[in-house]
Amino acid sequence: MAKIFRHKAYLIGIHVLTLIFLFTTLYAYFPWIRVKVKEIIDPADKVYTVAHRGASGYAPENTMPAFELAIEMNADSIELDIHLTKDGVPVVIHDETVNRTTNGKGYIKNLTLEQIKQLDAGSWFNEAYPMFARESYEGLAIPTLDEVFDTFGKDTNYIVEIKEPAPNSNIEVLLNEAVEKYGLEHEVAVHSFSASSLRKLHSINPEITLYQLVWNDYAASRVSEAYLRSVKTYAAGISPNFQGINAAYVAQVKNFGLKLMPYTVNYQVNMDKAYMWGVDGVYTNFPDRFLEVIETNRKNAQW
């Protein structure tokens, strides 16, 4: 009997050791598992849905209807871009020219606010995306940053992108003035590809959350720890292009104590992948789609 008991104990021990070895191997070679284990022990409060230029898959980007629709869809934040007009007013538009998204031509920096307000920023969308076209989009105006903050106030969160600023543009000061004017220090985050611009804003107002935008030409599995250490001195996280990251990249950044929110994730297969990797949020033109992905994954307990 004792011999049988020892034999059973030996087999159980072998199985336990095998399971430990298997889990250790998976933990070592599959970074998303490390992230998920960390989340089980110390779970993230939320995976954020950031409406990229508003709900720009359904309405003209960076316009009031796009922001309104994103809020209706329960996006956590609306993302918008700002440039300065010739007369120094922050206006909400992505490109440095008005050529692509209006019926006008020219660089924003060479146009006054009065000139910009005469442009049609919606009809192009109806022509490009007839399945989502609406008569109300015709003749939409480019909004100013003040108009967006004044309209939505504290009812939503914002991520404002400072485009590559011109030397001595003072855009960081003007942005901070708008944030303080409407009391949005805790509702507004800022991101930019320009580390110098983010550092400048951080020195002006360290209360504003910052994210460093990153572009990778190919899928990177690692990022320099020296770079992450530098970013951590002024920003809460990084926002890389989705095609330029993988699970190991996400794990490294999160384990370093920085948040990671990739852009721009529009297809469900990529949304599922980003969610499984353990990102803190995604930028998407279709906020309703990502909210459905989050709900489905949680229902299925697919972390």
Side-chain angles (χ1 to χ4, degrees), residues 5 7 17 19 28 60 90 118 219 222 233 271 287:
F5 178 78
H7 181 67
L17 288 173
L19 287 171
Q118 294 172 8
R222 290 189 63 80
T233 62
M271 291 176 176

Side-chain angles (χ1 to χ4, degrees), residues 215-263:
W215 173 264
N216 296 314
D217 290 324
Y218 54 88
S221 59
R222 290 189 63 80
V223 58
S224 160
E225 288 201 4
Y227 177 73
L228 294 178
R229 196 173 297 111
S230 173
V231 168
K232 203 170 184 179
T233 62
Y234 61 90
I238 65 174
S239 297
N241 55 314
F242 177 77
Q243 294 80 6
I245 63 172
N246 57 24
Y249 189 105
V250 174
Q252 183 194 9
V253 173
K254 286 178 65 79
N255 290 335
F256 201 83
L258 289 167
K259 292 186 180 297
L260 189 137
M261 301 199 299
Y263 64 90

Side-chain angles (χ1 to χ4, degrees), residues 42-55:
D42 182 21
D45 293 331
K46 190 175 181 65
V47 181
Y48 289 89
T49 301
V50 182
H52 181 244
R53 308 177 199 171

Side-chain angles (χ1 to χ4, degrees), residues 40-212:
I40 292 170
I41 298 170
D42 182 21
D45 293 331
K46 190 175 181 65
V47 181
Y48 289 89
T49 301
V50 182
H52 181 244
R53 308 177 199 171
S56 57
Y58 303 109
E61 66 180 62
N62 279 320
T63 62
M64 301 303 270
F67 300 142
E68 290 165 357
L69 186 56
I71 293 169
E72 288 175 16
M73 290 177 172
N74 296 315
D76 296 298
S77 298
I78 56 174
E79 190 263 355
L80 53 100
D81 312 273
I82 57 172
H83 287 275
L84 293 185
T85 64
K86 184 178 181 180
D87 40 353
V89 179
V91 290
V92 180
I93 184 170
H94 178 269
D95 299 356
E96 61 181 351
T97 74
V98 298
N99 300 8
R100 180 175 64 87
T101 56
T102 79
N103 61 338
K105 299 285 184 184
Y107 285 90
I108 297 158
K109 64 183 180 181
N110 295 333
L111 299 171
T112 65
L113 179 62
E114 183 180 1
Q115 290 172 315
I116 284 176
K117 280 297 185 180
Q118 294 172 8
L119 301 176
D120 176 348
S123 293
W124 73 271
F125 180 87
N126 287 349
E127 295 170 8
Y129 304 101
M131 68 289 289
F132 298 123
R134 294 185 184 180
E135 285 187 17
S136 59
Y137 294 161
E138 296 176 8
L140 286 175
I142 295 173
T144 65
L145 182 62
D146 255 36
E147 287 170 343
V148 173
F149 284 171
D150 186 53
T151 300
F152 302 112
K154 294 178 179 288
D155 292 337
T156 190
N157 296 305
Y158 312 82
I159 299 183
V160 180
E161 180 175 352
I162 299 176
K163 307 306 290 184
E164 200 67 36
N168 305 316
S169 71
N170 223 29
I171 193 169
E172 298 85 3
V173 172
L174 294 171
L175 171 56
N176 183 61
E177 287 178 355
V179 169
E180 291 185 336
K181 175 182 177 181
Y182 294 96
L184 298 174
E185 288 89 345
H186 301 295
E187 286 78 22
V188 171
V190 176
H191 64 183
S192 180
F193 286 100
S194 172
S196 61
S197 184
L198 292 177
R199 288 181 183 276
K200 182 177 179 180
L201 182 57
H202 185 64
S203 69
I204 294 169
N205 189 344
E207 294 298 313
I208 297 176
T209 301
L210 306 179
Y211 293 95
Q212 178 65 61

